[in-house]
Amino acid sequence: MKLFGSRQPKAKISVATAPAGEPLIKMRDIVKVFKTDAGDFTALKGISIDFYESEFISVIGKSGSGKSTLVNMITGIDRPTSGTVAIGDAQIDQLSESEMARWRGLNLGIVFQFYQLLPMLSLIENVILPMQLAEQYTPAERKDRAMQLLSLVGLEDYAHKMPANVSGGQQQSAAIARAIANDPPIIVADEPTGNLDSRSAAMVFSLFDELVQQGKTIIMVTHDRHLAAKARRTVRIHDGLVVDDGASTDVVDLSDAKPSAGAAEAATLADAQQEEVTEALKHAT
Amino acid sequence: MRPRYRKVIADLWDNKARTALVVASITIGVFAVGMISTAYLVLPEAMNRGFVAASPVNIKVATMPFGDDLIKSVSRIPGVGAAEGRQTVEVRITKADGSLENIELIATKDTGMHEININNLIEGKQVPDDNELLMWRDGMQTLGFSLGDIVTLELEDGTIRKMPIVGVVDDLTHDNATMRQPRGYITLDTVEWLQFEPIYNNMWVTVDRDTDDGNYIASVSAEVQSKIENSGRPVFFVREFTSAVHPMASIAQAVLGILSILGLLIVFLSGSLIANTLNSLITQHTRQIGVMKLIGARTQQITAIYLIEILAFSAMALAISIPLGAIAGYELSKVLSTEINVILPDRGAVPLMPLVVALQVFVGLAVPLGVGIFPIRRGAGITVEDAVTGGGKAANKESKSWFDRTMEKIKAFQGPMVIALRNTFRAKGRLALTLFTLALGGGIFIAVFNVRIALHGKVDEITGYFAADVNLDFDRNYRTEEIEQFAKQIPGVDYIEGWSITLGDIHVEGQQATKEVIMFAPPADSRLIEPVLIAGRWVRPGDQRAIALNEAYLSVNPDAKPGDQIQISVNGKEKTWTIVGIYQFTGLPEVFGYTTYETLSSEINSKFHASSYRIATQDHSLAFQQDLSAQIDAHFQKNGFLVKEAQAGGEFRETMTEQMDTIIWLLLVMALLTAVVGSIGLAGTLSMNILERTREIGVLRAIGGYNSIVVRLVMIEGLIIGLISFLLAAAVSFPISTVLSNVITIAIFKSPADFTLSPNGFLIWSLLVAILTTVASLVPARNAAQLTIREVLSYE
Ligand SMILES: Nc1ncnc2c1ncn2[C@@H]1O[C@H](COP(=O)(O)OP(=O)(O)OP(=O)(O)O)[C@@H](O)[C@H]1O
Ligand SMILES: [Mg+2]
């Protein structure tokens, strides 16, 4: 089945890196205007921001403030109306949809709120898929690697189950394994824990934390202040503008929030699970 | 406008592709119903009106020359409606292409205004003057003439006569077999001018009532015969015809019957398409329905909204298909009518028929509502909770059948393409309906080609009984040896057989009347006939007065079987013959008997002589046969033989085949209609699949799926469906071919077909399916590739 199997990508896609001290992701004067029936709506009003290698950034803000819109500019899910996004030496806002997809395959892992595993593929097949799409590794290596990633997220016994037959937390764990299948330098997650119970949320958070230790850059949108506070850097968006940017403890003010029981518990659990995950990841990568 | 109607309109408008799909599905079915029922009403009606109006002959008696006196006394016999004398002469006519052909010329009192088998004027004059010719329409085509042409006739003694064609007429009483034979009408004076005696030798009679009652006609016929015999003239032969139904009526019925069955199938298939689309519509609206319920809509109200939506689909479909169906129905009748010798009224005179429209409206409403009510009730009955959570957890946990497990194991598809394979089998109900539609459409399509071959085979079989590559007939007997010698001088002639042909009368036991038998006698070792025997065997060298009769004899004597002894009068002598076999012919009522040349030639005292010859040529193509016929004709004439006619055997075949092909074309039209239904189904299924998987395609993009992967995934899914449907179509084409060929050959030839297989149908269908699936998946594939992730995730 060579016909459908491998086709060489047209241009060699490089993995994004940045020289020491230089930002990995450079966003300049990003404006996003949505055209709606009620008229134009400016969701991002000129944001310039840099993200560096191995940063763990949480993006917070009220619903409708523009968080998803902002990270969509990085993933290429959406394009800025004006302004530029450079990641490594790639000019994200210039790529076509298809080029973008190829670029993303190697450089970016996306984790969605609703997991978005492909329902007709088993968990392991879901994890193998990005490697196949990007033509990374040999078929045998792909399988081994997928298995390692699944055991990293605690799913080695569920590898051959279909997504519909496992829990939400397990699906999200598999989705994270899928996001890091091609070992991308950047992971973007839009409310990855929004649909999870506190235990699973903590698990996800620990995984992220460890990935950062491994040198990955993680940008996570969250509503959960406790989780946000655990990230190194927090960016607060308000009304399409960055209103706060700095060390998490400065930006996330926990005192004015009535923490949900789940979130607090998750934060504690996250610490406990940190150790295990660290060990596992060392083996996987 | 009330909000609920606004929702209906918004639904129809927002998803134009789906609206088009449903409307097209309904349209096809309703169109087929309109087309076929129009033909059903128009054609037989026109057929019988034309036939009865022409006052078809009931009794034909051939006798010695007679005049007006005898006609007058016959017409006074009680039960006789009308009586006319006819003289039929045969001369050679030069065709437009220069070759020669025999033409029958009929003369009667007041030619052109006669009262039996009344002519229907096509163009020119209705009544010829002396030395003018009125031509039969179909003969015009065969000979290549048009109105006003001067034709050249060659008389028996070589005299040349020229006559203008002053009118073209149609005789609506004839069946196909006699139709294409060239015939014309002339006056009695013209008969004399052509050096024949200007008297009648045929008496044509109609009965005054009960024209469909064979017994009544026979009783009148007996009176007519005795009147003629009393006048001192022997009766040579008599033929009786009922005339309440057109001779082609049964064929027309059969063809219309088959078309109706196919029409029903199309309605059925279109119903399954509608079901598919409505199912998907409701599935997509589940959440919407939940919201409507949340704000207080009752199940009943929701049901009503969707029923109104279906009515809107139906209304659009009816608006298109009622006029189109009427037009197509008329055109279909037109095509059929020329084949079965019927004059249709002008289209202007065929308005929309209330019955047809009523039927269309009924089908157009009942089918969509009937198939739509199930998904609608399912959708409208859903609980708010199920609707909002997407059918609940239970629905998400797909239980795995052995089939799914097998799918998961298939390794032929590697990498991302395994997605295409599994996607194909996800919506199983929809897949099944699509496959069903495509397979049936394809099966019919393929079958039509097989039927064509079967019909052609039948034609070969039948023409084989009387036609060789060239049939050569002389006006008198010649020594076969002599003819053989001259024939062999012509390059291209393979071999030649002299056939004895004569008329005999079979005395059927227990019946007073005799049955005429046309006796053919090829040499005992003839290589030209490959008979299809129903019982017994064919005649053999050394047989003594043995005869093989066609199946028509069974209607004279149903108990007849090989070994029976029968009395046949040949050449005025009644002798005992043995039936050795019964063979399959066309279903014509005439009895044809085959015996050996050796037997018959001695019975008619013409040993070593024959006037009728069959020639096999080295090349069997029609062009070669025609070319050689002309050479043979010229060669024998030059050498002083009285050639009556040299005709290419392929011409018989051609004429019959052409008629068969008309039926084939009709079937093909129906097959194409089913194929269209199938393609709509395929395109619909693929686009519905894509629509439901938009989110997944977005996810694929998010994890590195580039355009060509997305396109290939969709295309492969289409091709898998195409491939499976092709295999199914090939499988069902076998039973469909058998049934279809049998129904048609039995209607036309009164005998079943031999099953024949043509690769053409399979090849053409596989090509069509390949093109179709490519096109049908290309569009959704491109749409899928153009989806951006943001659009996709906004579905969440
Ligand atoms: N495709 C779109 N068309 C029009 N307006 C949009 C579109 N996408 C987002 N918006 C608007 O832009 C604003 C920012 O939306 P965005 O999804 O970025 O918010 P958010 O911060 O992610 O909110 P939430 O926490 O609810 O996810 C919102 O007011 C939203 O209504
Ligand atoms: Mg958001």
Side-chain angles (χ1 to χ4, degrees), chain A residues 239-251:
Chain A
D239 213 4
L241 285 170
V242 176
V243 291
D244 255 324
D245 184 1
S248 294
T249 41
D250 300 337
V251 177

Side-chain angles (χ1 to χ4, degrees), chain B residues 449-478:
Chain B
F449 286 84
N450 292 340
V451 171
R452 176 165 184 266
I453 300 293
L455 285 182
H456 285 187
K458 205 76 200 173
V459 168
D460 279 346
E461 190 182 305
I462 285 158
T463 49
Y465 282 112
F466 57 86
D469 288 320
V470 177
N471 280 13
L472 175 62
D473 288 298
F474 295 99
D475 284 325
R476 45 158 288 209
N477 275 342
Y478 289 105

Side-chain angles (χ1 to χ4, degrees), chain A residues 32-37 39 41-44 59-72 78 113 190-191 221-223 237 240, chain B residues 790-791 794:
Chain A
K32 179 66 190 181
V33 181
F34 289 113
K35 302 214 179 305
T36 65
D37 292 343
F41 177 82
T42 311
L44 299 179
V59 179
I60 59 171
K62 286 214 293 280
S63 178
S65 54
K67 306 182 294 292
S68 297
T69 311
L70 180 72
V71 295
N72 284 353
D78 210 346
Q113 179 176 356
D190 193 344
E191 295 182 39
V221 175
T222 183
H223 271 132
I237 309 286
Chain B
R790 191 173 57 78
E791 282 171 307
S794 67

Side-chain angles (χ1 to χ4, degrees), chain A residues 1 78 98 101 116 120 125 132, chain B residues 412 415 422 695 704-705 707 790:
Chain A
M1 288 264 114
D78 210 346
S98 192
Q116 310 289 17
M120 71 302 242
E125 285 168 333
Q132 289 170 329
Chain B
R422 294 200 193 143
R695 192 180 53 76
N707 278 357
R790 191 173 57 78

Side-chain angles (χ1 to χ4, degrees), chain B residues 707-741:
Chain B
N707 278 357
S708 57
I709 284 272
V710 174
V711 170
R712 270 183 279 164
L713 280 178
V714 177
M715 301 274 297
I716 287 172
E717 188 173 340
L719 292 178
I720 295 174
I721 299 180
L723 182 69
I724 300 176
S725 84
F726 176 76
L727 295 177
L728 291 177
V732 297
S733 75
F734 287 83
I736 297 179
S737 301
T738 312
V739 171
L740 218 51
S741 336

